[in-house]
Amino acid sequence: MTKSENKITIISPLETVDNNTNKYMIGNRPKPRRLSSLKDFKDPFMNPDKYYGPKTNPEDDDLELHSDDELARQSTIKSKKYTKLDHIDDIKKSLKNKKTRTRTMSAIGGISFYKKNEEFNQHPIRRRGSEDDVLLSGKGNRRFFIEDVNSTLKELLLTEDTDSNYQITIEDKGPKVLRIGTANSDGYKYINVRGTYMLSNLLQELTIAKSFGRHQIFLDEARINENPVSRLTRLISTQFWDSLTRKVDLNNIATLAKDTKIDAPGAKNPRIYVPYNCPEQFEFYVQASQMNPSWKLEVEYLPKDITPEYVQSINGTPGLLALAMEEHIDPSTGEKALIGIPYAVPGGRFNELYGWDSYMMTLGLLESGKVDVAKGMVEHFIFEIEHYGKILNANRSYYLCRSQPPFLTDMALVVFNKIGGDQNPDAIDFLRRAMKAAIKEYKTVWMAEPRLDPETGLSCYHPDGKGIPPETESEHFDTILAPYAMKYKVSIEELKTLYNEEKVNEPALDDFFLHDRAVRESGHDTTYRFEGVCAYLATADLNSLLYKYENDIADFISTYCDDKFYDDRDDTITDSKHWRNLAELRKSRITKYMWDEEKGFFFDYNVKFKERTSYESATSFWTLWAGLATQEQAQILVKKALPKLEVLGGLVACSEESRGPISVNRPPRQWDYPFGWAPHQILAWKGLENYGFTCIANRLVYRWCYIMTKAFVDFNGIVVEKYDLTRATDPHKVDAEYGNQGADVKGVAREGFGWVNASYILGLKYMNNHARRALGSCIPPIPFLNSLRTEEKSLYGL
């Protein structure tokens, strides 16, 4: 049945509509009314009082802040004729009509509360003083009074933002100084704010104040002169994570479903696809569309069997895929309500739940105390495996045939330990469900053809799929398609249609798009390491992750299943020994096919041509993270592989030699030298620590965090998707094919980028106070390491 006026496609034999009441029915009974989630979509900048404190207007006292007792007490002091009972209204009226201003307190007796401390008691002052005194201002306790936020913001941008990008950076040519009034003089006295960092922080604070609708603010100097390490840590923990958090409810589904990556007629209206066996969710989304007809939200069921042909058929009408929800009972009505489970998105144009991004973000979220969001993402992955057959590249319809690097077992374990572990029965149940889902994914996705190579027993990134991936920019494949368009004497757009409809037969194009989809499943899109061969490669990274799966599952079965796990999906019973044997077998195969002792790398193995590749990738260190390498192999990796990958800002994705020369006809790829990515750093740090090389991890951490901090300080507080680890001045400037997500900041960075946020929080755990102070001063790695005392150098593997 189709409800055309709301553009709702309903495909369900169970549901009918009562035309008299317009109520949806299941059989003969009406469906219960849905309630919205308990909380709306969170905006960390929505509460100005949390950010700047209560509204402050020097022209008008806020009488609500004073109790009647306090008003009476103050007025009695000033005039004995006022009493509490008879004259409170007169007092309020009198104070309201009186224009007041903050007065400079006397240094004797009238000193303000924060001067009443031991430090000041040790230095008695014999004269009247201003709160703008040098003694306090030198300690960063001054406050500014911004009398007109809008005019100050305009003046700041006019004089300092010389390249008109709504950022204040080291590339701007302004005077790098702005006069701002002091708070205690009501703006009468002025202080100069100097330097790129302070002025860019001021721009951020004014931008946020304007978004609050504030016309006047008091601003602590400490806020705009904050140590950059402390500031970035604070922003990530208290604001960026909240900005990246999503939670489905009846009022925001259309916003979440909107897809900026697709520009096609069928993608104009927001659309949600629901698994065929989730009628409760289907009704929830139908209710959302009825509540807001202007959205034109389209709701559709997915078929039971999701084939590559079906996925291709809906590429012209892409939509968001439903995720897990919780059922709650409204205590006031007794009615059932579905509540969205929170999750985090990577940021930039990526506004969905992604695969391996979520694991990296989980590590940072847990360090920041966002346990509910981290746990929620595991719940969503369990749902995806149950209803979509795999952890998806992301929850969009065009990703239904494609997974990403598998991290579910470790992701579940780190959350399990945070929510009580063995002491919490709910945590044990959570772990059971996650491990059961991981076992299904292991068997049906990674250990099944086409991803499994039967001869070697190793696994490849080899997704199903047909046609041209629709989520790319319209011209992304033009260079590849142009010769075929000339061959058939049609335009490139016409060729795309002919190819997608299988009206032309081009095996070479089929192979190209097979490998292109595999590259996207690998998460490393794109790199010359995988170009034209990815689906045929048993990679060191994927097989390391599966080795970790096998050991994690063995530990789980041994500890929580009495060493016997019954899989009702295929009616099998396995014990921990079975899974440890699988792990040992995979380890021996990886060593046989991938390990090169002479070069010191684990290389990918081409299962079609039966040969080892020679592309030197940072993913070799994933073997350390998974615990797969021997101690001897780890030492060789550190000795031979690390020098080829360690640069100014940490570990580059691959060696410059492996990438090869760059030219107009061979442009740079974003997962190659000289670019560095947070997941490579995070897994290498942990892997090195696992094998006793924490000192080297410390050095790599400082390099990476320095690059992040330098860009943050010099370029208006940005945190971006990736960095050029060889650029000392502007590492965020990446000239590879996709640019850089998170770099287009307007005034203030509100979310950073998911796994990069996590890397900073995790990296700081490796740093001592000396390293943090050096990082806060933006001391480059080489001067920092060279300045260490002899006994300190060993802390960094020197």
Side-chain angles (χ1 to χ4, degrees):
M1 178 181 64
T2 302
K3 197 172 181 62
S4 59
E5 60 271 23
N6 287 340
K7 302 292 185 182
I8 304 168
T9 304
I10 303 175
I11 310 169
S12 172
L14 302 176
E15 302 190 12
T16 59
V17 177
D18 186 330
N19 292 327
N20 295 324
T21 62
N22 287 327
K23 289 184 177 180
Y24 277 81
M25 312 286 288
I26 299 181
N28 295 322
R29 61 183 177 83
K31 289 188 177 182
R33 180 174 60 87
R34 289 287 176 209
L35 300 177
S36 178
S37 62
L38 298 177
K39 292 184 179 180
D40 290 331
F41 176 64
K42 292 176 65 178
D43 177 0
F45 297 92
M46 69 190 299
N47 185 356
D49 288 353
K50 180 178 178 181
Y51 207 85
Y52 289 111
K55 290 184 178 180
T56 310
N57 187 341
E59 296 297 322
D60 187 10
D61 264 356
D62 187 355
L63 298 178
E64 294 180 1
L65 298 179
H66 301 284
S67 66
D68 288 351
D69 288 322
E70 179 65 13
L71 288 171
R73 187 191 68 80
Q74 292 182 10
S75 298
T76 302
I77 293 173
K78 296 178 181 179
S79 176
K80 298 299 183 182
K81 69 179 182 180
Y82 287 104
T83 64
K84 176 183 176 182
L85 295 178
D86 298 330
H87 303 287
I88 291 299
D89 291 339
D90 292 341
I91 296 168
K92 289 184 176 180
K93 183 177 180 181
S94 172
L95 289 176
K96 186 173 183 180
N97 292 333
K98 181 180 179 181
K99 299 297 183 183
T100 60
R101 68 182 294 273
T102 308
R103 59 185 291 268
T104 301
M105 303 299 294
S106 170
I108 303 174
I111 193 169
S112 63
F113 74 94
Y114 62 82
K115 281 189 175 179
K116 292 180 180 179
N117 54 50
E118 294 181 2
E119 185 173 357
F120 264 82
N121 292 336
Q122 295 172 5
H123 302 279
I125 301 175
R126 298 301 180 186
R127 61 178 181 79
R128 291 179 61 85
S130 168
E131 298 233 4
D132 302 315
D133 281 343
V134 174
L135 182 60
L136 268 190
S137 65
K139 298 182 178 298
N141 290 331
R142 274 187 309 203
R143 300 184 78 206
F144 300 126
F145 172 46
I146 311 296
E147 186 174 12
D148 189 326
V149 168
N150 287 337
S151 64
T152 305
L153 183 58
K154 289 179 181 178
E155 180 186 0
L156 179 61
L157 291 170
L158 181 65
T159 58
E160 300 294 345
D161 181 24
T162 57
D163 54 9
S164 300
N165 64 351
Y166 214 86
Q167 299 177 18
I168 297 176
T169 72
I170 58 172
E171 295 177 341
D172 287 307
K173 306 301 181 183
K176 296 296 170 71
V177 61
L178 187 75
R179 299 180 69 208
I180 301 181
T182 63
N184 220 66
S185 68
D186 283 347
Y188 181 76
K189 293 183 178 179
Y190 286 86
I191 297 174
N192 289 332
V193 175
R194 297 179 181 275
T196 298
Y197 180 61
M198 289 187 69
L199 290 171
S200 67
N201 287 344
L202 178 60
L203 171 63
Q204 295 168 49
E205 301 297 332
L206 293 174
T207 302
I208 295 169
K210 183 176 179 179
S211 71
F212 289 155
R214 288 296 182 89
H215 300 294
Q216 297 176 336
I217 59 170
F218 288 99
L219 182 62
D220 288 336
E221 183 180 28
R223 177 63 70 94
I224 62 173
N225 197 29
E226 189 175 5
N227 181 292
V229 176
S230 301
R231 183 176 179 88
L232 181 50
T233 304
R234 175 176 61 80
L235 290 174
I236 292 171
S237 299
T238 64
Q239 294 171 34
F240 288 0
W241 288 135
D242 287 344
S243 290
L244 293 171
T245 299
R246 305 288 183 267
K247 186 175 181 180
V248 172
D249 65 28
L250 291 173
N251 297 313
N252 69 8
I253 181 57
T255 302
L256 298 180
K258 186 177 180 181
D259 193 351
T260 60
K261 294 188 292 300
I262 303 292
D263 183 18
K268 298 301 181 184
N269 293 339
R271 183 178 291 102
I272 183 81
Y273 286 99
V274 182
Y276 78 98
N277 54 354
C278 293
E280 296 293 315
Q281 283 209 27
F282 187 86
E283 183 217 339
F284 174 89
Y285 293 116
V286 168
Q287 182 186 352
S289 68
Q290 291 177 323
M291 289 173 57
N292 301 276
S294 62
W295 287 350
K296 299 181 180 179
L297 176 66
E298 302 184 17
V299 187
E300 296 189 31
Y301 272 119
L302 289 169
K304 182 177 180 180
D305 297 321
I306 301 173
T307 64
E309 290 76 15
Y310 169 76
V311 175
Q312 185 187 27
S313 73
I314 61 174
N315 279 346
T317 55
L320 191 71
L321 299 175
L323 294 173
M325 301 185 79
E326 294 178 322
E327 189 177 84
H328 289 253
I329 303 297
D330 189 315
S332 61
T333 64
E335 294 180 339
K336 294 181 180 179
L338 287 184
I339 304 297
I341 298 175
Y343 60 94
V345 302
R349 70 184 189 127
F350 305 112
N351 195 35
E352 309 86 16
L353 175 74
Y354 275 78
W356 70 316
D357 294 71
S358 295
Y359 170 72
M360 305 298 164
M361 288 189 288
T362 290
L363 301 178
L365 286 162
L366 293 176
E367 288 297 325
S368 301
K370 310 289 186 180
V371 181
D372 60 328
V373 184
K375 180 175 181 291
M377 293 195 288
V378 177
E379 295 287 359
H380 291 310
F381 285 164
I382 296 171
F383 181 91
E384 286 188 345
I385 292 171
E386 179 181 355
H387 294 285
Y388 306 128
K390 61 181 72 68
I391 292 176
L392 301 174
N393 187 159
N395 65 314
R396 295 281 181 186
S397 58
Y398 41 80
Y399 293 137
L400 278 165
C401 292
R402 196 188 309 162
S403 187
Q404 276 206 316
F407 284 93
L408 180 57
T409 57
D410 196 70
M411 188 175 177
L413 285 167
V414 294
V415 172
F416 167 76
N417 291 327
K418 277 288 186 178
I419 61 176
D422 293 337
Q423 307 304 314
N424 182 359
D426 290 338
I428 295 175
D429 175 69
F430 163 83
L431 184 63
R432 288 182 186 277
R433 292 186 293 107
M435 287 296 180
K436 183 178 179 181
I439 291 170
K440 177 183 177 181
E441 178 200 26
Y442 173 88
K443 291 181 177 181
T444 62
V445 178
W446 302 112
M447 294 302 289
E449 294 190 53
R451 291 177 177 86
L452 175 67
D453 174 56
E455 182 175 335
T456 62
L458 298 172
S459 300
C460 307
Y461 296 113
H462 194 127
D464 295 323
K466 297 178 75 67
I468 301 172
E471 78 275 14
T472 58
E473 293 82 355
S474 59
E475 71 281 358
H476 185 76
F477 298 113
D478 285 1
T479 303
I480 301 297
L481 297 174
Y484 296 94
M486 294 176 63
K487 175 181 177 180
Y488 291 98
K489 298 180 180 180
V490 295
S491 68
I492 291 179
E493 290 303 315
E494 290 172 324
L495 179 72
K496 291 178 181 178
T497 302
L498 291 173
Y499 179 75
N500 285 332
E501 294 178 355
E502 298 184 338
K503 293 180 180 179
V504 296
N505 180 25
E506 291 292 343
L509 266 186
D510 295 342
D511 283 345
F512 172 84
F513 286 113
L514 165 64
H515 296 303
D516 182 82
R517 286 190 292 272
V519 171
R520 297 173 192 282
E521 181 169 81
S522 77
H524 293 73
D525 48 328
T526 60
T527 165
Y528 286 114
R529 171 190 173 202
F530 287 156
E531 193 164 282
V533 294
C534 188
Y536 301 149
L537 295 182
T539 67
D541 40 294
L542 174 58
N543 286 279
S544 294
L545 299 182
L546 294 177
Y547 174 83
K548 182 73 160 57
Y549 259 45
E550 290 155 349
N551 278 309
D552 287 345
I553 292 169
D555 292 341
F556 163 73
I557 292 174
S558 174
T559 306
Y560 299 101
C561 301
D562 295 326
D563 208 23
K564 185 180 295 184
F565 176 79
Y566 171 67
D567 190 343
D568 56 6
R569 188 193 61 82
D570 57 7
D571 201 30
T572 60
I573 297 176
T574 55
D575 58 13
S576 58
K577 183 179 179 181
H578 168 80
W579 289 92
R580 294 199 196 284
N581 287 341
L582 291 176
E584 287 304 309
L585 184 58
R586 187 179 300 274
K587 179 178 180 178
S588 66
R589 288 167 172 169
I590 290 174
T591 299
K592 174 183 177 181
Y593 292 108
M594 300 182 184
W595 173 241
D596 189 322
E597 185 170 333
E598 181 180 349
K599 294 186 177 180
F601 278 89
F602 284 91
F603 291 114
D604 304 326
Y605 181 79
N606 191 310
V607 300
K608 181 176 181 179
F609 298 106
K610 298 179 175 51
E611 62 182 13
R612 183 186 298 161
T613 70
S614 59
Y615 210 93
E616 297 167 338
S617 169
T619 57
S620 281
F621 287 91
W622 293 26
T623 59
L624 304 187
W625 176 85
L628 181 150
T630 65
Q631 189 65 38
E632 181 183 4
Q633 288 171 334
Q635 290 173 340
I636 294 173
L637 268 169
V638 169
K639 180 180 179 181
K640 296 183 177 180
L642 185 62
K644 292 187 176 183
L645 300 175
E646 183 178 0
V647 296
L648 168 69
L651 283 179
V652 286
C654 74
S655 67
E656 185 175 12
E657 180 183 358
S658 288
R659 182 206 62 183
I662 295 301
S663 65
V664 174
N665 296 323
R666 196 174 186 271
R669 302 294 191 218
Q670 64 176 3
W671 282 92
D672 283 338
Y673 180 93
F675 308 121
W677 293 77
H680 287 173
Q681 318 303 315
I682 293 170
L683 297 185
W685 301 339
K686 182 60 177 175
L688 289 165
E689 184 182 10
N690 289 344
Y691 284 80
F693 298 105
T694 304
C695 54
I696 295 175
N698 292 340
R699 186 174 77 230
L700 295 177
V701 165
Y702 189 87
R703 290 183 179 279
W704 175 259
C705 289
Y706 165 76
I707 284 290
M708 282 188 63
T709 307
K710 187 71 162 60
F712 178 80
V713 167
D714 291 343
F715 290 91
N716 211 92
I718 63 168
V719 176
V720 291
E721 178 189 31
K722 55 187 173 288
Y723 295 89
D724 182 337
L725 300 189
T726 64
R727 296 177 76 107
T729 303
D730 47 9
H732 67 292
K733 291 191 175 181
V734 173
D735 56 359
E737 64 267 62
Y738 294 113
N740 212 349
Q741 298 297 312
D744 187 23
V745 171
K746 299 299 182 185
V748 59
R750 295 178 179 267
E751 59 186 26
F753 196 85
W755 58 23
V756 183
N757 298 342
S759 71
Y760 202 77
I761 297 296
L762 296 170
L764 291 180
K765 295 176 62 180
Y766 289 84
M767 290 193 178
N768 58 24
N769 288 335
H770 180 214
R772 287 187 182 223
R773 287 195 295 270
L775 190 63
S777 300
C778 288
I779 298 177
I782 296 303
F784 168 70
L785 296 172
N786 288 341
S787 69
L788 296 172
R789 295 192 296 267
T790 303
E791 61 272 20
E792 294 175 325
K793 290 183 181 293
S794 62
L795 296 176
Y796 298 90
L798 302 174

